[in-house]
Amino acid sequence: MIRTILFLAGLAAAWPAAAALNVFACEPEWAALAKELGGDKVSTYSATHALQDPHRVEARPSLIAKARSARLVVCTGAELEAGWLPPVLRESGNAAVQPGRPGYFEAAQFVTRLEIPARLDRSEGDVHAAGNPHIQLDPRNLLAVAAPLAKRLGELDAANAGHYAEGHQAFAEKMRQAIARWEQAAAPLKGMRVIAQHRSFSYLFNWLGLVEAGTLEPKPGIEPGSAHLAQLVAQAKTQQVRLIVRTPFDSPRPGEWLAERAGIPLVILPFTVGGSERAQDLFGLFDDTLVKLKGAP
């Protein structure tokens, strides 16, 4: 899987000269969505890949160079990229893609966000004031983002506005059909209790009706200690937890420890495009996620 991801990252390293509109995406899911909408009228570059924690990225010169030549920056927002995107945009010197300009687009503004904290306190861990930013794992959110993103593409590239509108129509129809199929296939999973490593899957669980019985992190961004893990072992047994899930970039050790002692499987879900061999586009992302969830005993 690593070789596949590095290969895809290498393919994305240069803007094709013939592309009409260069899109700098902060995460793979937004590069994939822009490609679904724009086809050959856009050239997409993802600043992160599926083995990277999007919270923690180095603002390296290669990212600054890509942002400098972009006409549109598409990011999750909701503070997900707060640690690295501001210096990338500032150092790029590209006035057109600064926050508030037409060349800057935050997907999280167009969805209903979960887990917005009632109060902000650093003692509660790495909490996002704008709510949980991992919105891409509910495909209904992709539909909500696709319409304004297609509109923005058309505003920036007016000569191809009709192409983006048609791309959106085709994507929306295909995605609605897929959502109906996925929801039917996932119906038996409703109510299944799971433990996640980080609150990476809240939107997925909310969509499918899964119950998050706990997290390996005692608080967001805080590594688990022995007392918390021991508590989770008991919790997993009393609450009949069936599965532990983590992303491809989470440390495997806490989940493996709990899986061994609680006697329940640990599954790596793709989390974003490129997160598994099958998750090579937005549809493969959910196809593979459901296969892995349904494979739980």
Side-chain angles (χ1 to χ4, degrees):
M1 181 175 70
I2 293 175
R3 284 189 300 175
T4 299
I5 290 169
L6 293 178
F7 173 69
L8 292 173
L11 286 180
W15 300 113
L21 199 153
N22 292 339
V23 177
F24 176 106
C26 287
E27 290 85 25
E29 59 269 24
W30 306 128
L33 181 57
K35 201 65 182 175
E36 290 278 355
L37 301 173
D40 63 0
K41 304 302 182 187
V42 301
S43 175
T44 59
Y45 171 81
S46 179
T48 60
H49 57 69
L51 291 185
Q52 281 182 294
D53 183 344
H55 296 89
R56 299 176 178 83
V57 177
E58 183 182 355
R60 56 188 188 278
S62 60
L63 296 185
I64 295 169
K66 284 295 185 185
R68 183 173 298 134
S69 57
R71 291 182 62 192
L72 177 62
V73 168
V74 182
C75 298
T76 298
E79 302 177 347
L80 178 61
E81 305 94 356
W84 58 274
L85 185 61
V88 167
L89 296 181
R90 184 176 61 248
E91 296 302 319
S92 76
N94 185 347
V97 299
Q98 302 301 314
R101 301 300 299 273
Y104 181 81
F105 182 96
E106 282 191 356
Q109 293 183 359
F110 301 98
V111 306
T112 300
R113 293 187 296 278
L114 304 176
E115 300 168 2
I116 296 176
R119 66 183 180 90
L120 287 176
D121 188 336
R122 294 303 299 172
S123 67
E124 295 302 315
D126 187 13
V127 176
H128 295 274
N132 189 315
H134 306 300
I135 61 172
Q136 80 280 4
L137 287 177
D138 183 338
R140 298 170 300 183
N141 287 344
L142 299 179
L143 277 176
V145 173
L149 181 55
K151 183 172 182 289
R152 186 69 59 87
L153 289 167
E155 291 169 350
L156 294 173
D157 180 18
N160 290 309
H163 174 84
Y164 301 123
E166 290 174 3
H168 170 246
Q169 186 175 4
F171 170 78
E173 182 177 347
K174 184 178 177 183
M175 180 57 77
R176 289 192 187 98
Q177 291 175 359
I179 289 173
R181 172 168 53 83
W182 292 326
E183 290 181 345
Q184 183 177 18
L189 298 174
K190 192 171 184 178
M192 184 172 78
R193 305 182 76 81
V194 297
I195 288 177
Q197 183 137 341
H198 174 75
R199 287 183 174 167
S200 303
F201 302 101
S202 296
Y203 291 88
L204 176 71
F205 298 162
N206 180 65
W207 169 47
L208 297 179
L210 276 64
V211 178
E212 187 175 83
T215 57
L216 284 162
E217 293 179 345
K219 296 176 180 178
I222 306 298
E223 290 296 319
S226 56
H228 178 69
L229 288 172
Q231 180 185 344
L232 282 179
V233 172
Q235 201 169 319
K237 293 177 179 175
T238 57
Q239 296 192 19
Q240 298 181 320
V241 172
R242 289 176 53 192
L243 200 63
I244 304 165
V245 297
R246 71 171 178 87
T247 70
F249 55 80
D250 286 326
S251 168
R253 294 178 58 187
E256 290 173 353
W257 187 94
L258 180 61
E260 181 179 350
R261 284 158 181 79
I264 52 179
L266 168 65
V267 172
I268 303 172
L269 299 179
F271 185 67
T272 187
V273 173
S276 70
E277 293 289 350
R278 293 189 62 191
Q280 297 304 310
D281 61 21
L282 292 170
F283 297 91
L285 168 62
F286 292 100
D287 283 338
D288 196 43
T289 296
L290 289 187
V291 166
K292 287 179 165 58
L293 287 174
K294 293 184 72 175

